[in-house]
Amino acid sequence: MRKLITALLLVFVLLISSFVILKILAAGSEDNFFNQKYRPQLGRSQLLRQILQLHDYGDQRYEYLGSKNSTIDIEIDSMDGLVISDKALNLLVEKIAAVTGKKVIYYFSDHNILFTESVEPDYIDTLVKIYRDDSKPAPGVAKLYILYLSQSADHPTELGITHGEYGIILFDTGIKNLTQSNPMTFDSYVESTALHEFGHQLGLGHNERANCLMNAKVESDGNIYYNSTDVITDFCDYEKALIRANY
């Protein structure tokens, strides 16, 4: 009996030690061997994502790309007075559906988020916690969240960022300032920015390839497009191949 208890204690200690080590590795550099090789595989399991706190961009990619789900529901919240056009959203839905092979549906929440001129990172976290529907999705459904805010307080020129493993934050002021010389490109940049951030949620990083959506310089002041048709609003072939490889 004593040997059995000792063996069980050893197993328990090993499990706890392994858990601690994995959490330390997961919180480490993106380039460490765990995050490069094992994290994507562990991310296939929602339970393991919760246990190991795998909540960075790309950790939920299999919810969007795998065969488990056939539909992606996009919940959209925005500050009072800020509106994403149906044109931009319909084009975004088409691109997400094409790259994931899923049916994509978007809907607006009826929340009234008080407008503020700029938002701090902590306040963004608070808004997401308050307004995002974090209930368990229906079987076969993956959830994506878009929050449309005024301006990033830390980076006023920022167009968008990812949030956790499920979210996209868009900044109205950043996009308006970028497109002020040609407002006709505004919707295209909304679409482009949202799809760029979704690319991160599919596990893509930035690249330096010309005419690719995940090129970090595409949406900078030095690369302003004056014609809506010139704005990059889809993944290039290289990126599409990476997405297939990520899955």
Side-chain angles (χ1 to χ4, degrees):
M1 186 65 173
R2 183 175 298 177
K3 289 183 178 180
L4 177 60
I5 293 174
T6 301
L8 290 173
L9 285 173
L10 285 173
V11 170
F12 178 75
V13 170
L14 284 172
L15 287 173
I16 294 298
S17 299
S18 299
F19 170 74
V20 171
I21 291 171
L22 289 175
K23 286 204 67 173
I24 291 172
L25 290 172
S29 167
E30 291 183 8
D31 298 326
N32 71 38
F33 77 95
F34 171 81
N35 284 327
Q36 286 292 310
K37 187 172 183 179
Y38 298 110
R39 184 175 186 136
Q41 302 306 317
L42 294 173
R44 289 176 179 266
S45 166
Q46 185 176 10
L47 177 61
L48 288 176
R49 291 202 306 269
Q50 292 298 324
I51 291 174
L52 297 174
Q53 297 292 293
L54 304 181
H55 298 310
D56 288 337
Y57 76 82
D59 283 332
Q60 191 169 280
R61 71 185 73 169
Y62 296 106
E63 300 292 325
Y64 304 124
L65 295 172
S67 58
K68 172 185 174 183
N69 299 314
S70 59
T71 303
I72 298 174
D73 277 1
I74 305 178
E75 177 189 359
I76 303 171
D77 272 323
S78 61
M79 282 184 164
D80 288 339
L82 302 183
V83 179
I84 306 178
S85 74
D86 285 325
K87 175 186 175 182
L89 288 172
N90 286 326
L91 290 171
L92 175 64
V93 161
E94 287 181 14
K95 301 298 171 51
I96 291 178
V99 78
T100 62
K102 314 295 182 187
K103 178 181 179 182
V104 182
I105 301 169
Y106 73 85
Y107 65 94
F108 295 94
S109 298
D110 58 356
H111 302 129
N112 294 316
I113 302 178
L114 183 66
F115 180 86
T116 57
E117 291 293 337
S118 64
V119 286
E120 301 284 350
D122 288 346
Y123 187 49
I124 293 175
D125 292 339
T126 299
L127 291 175
V128 173
K129 288 177 182 177
I130 293 174
Y131 294 108
R132 173 179 172 259
D133 177 10
D134 62 355
S135 61
K136 186 178 180 179
V141 176
K143 295 169 72 172
L144 181 67
Y145 183 64
I146 295 179
L147 181 58
Y148 194 43
L149 302 178
S150 53
Q151 183 180 48
S152 167
D154 283 359
H155 304 284
T157 61
E158 194 117 58
L159 308 186
I161 57 174
T162 57
H163 188 281
E165 73 275 35
Y166 53 75
I168 295 170
I169 312 298
L170 300 177
F171 296 110
D172 180 76
T173 301
I175 300 174
K176 279 181 177 174
N177 287 342
L178 185 69
T179 61
Q180 61 183 339
S181 56
N182 190 353
M184 294 295 291
T185 62
F186 181 83
D187 282 342
S188 295
Y189 271 103
V190 170
E191 177 196 356
S192 175
T193 303
L195 192 63
H196 175 102
E197 301 309 331
F198 184 65
H200 287 312
Q201 297 296 11
L202 296 182
L204 296 181
H206 288 139
N207 63 59
E208 297 181 358
R209 294 183 176 237
N211 300 318
C212 280
L213 183 67
M214 301 308 293
N215 187 325
K217 297 179 181 178
V218 164
E219 296 166 338
S220 67
D221 290 341
N223 290 277
I224 299 174
Y225 296 97
Y226 295 96
N227 190 323
S228 297
T229 59
D230 293 331
V231 180
I232 299 173
T233 57
D234 200 0
F235 299 108
C236 64
D237 290 341
Y238 168 75
E239 291 162 345
K240 290 177 181 177
L242 283 180
I243 291 170
R244 290 193 295 270
N246 278 345
Y247 173 61

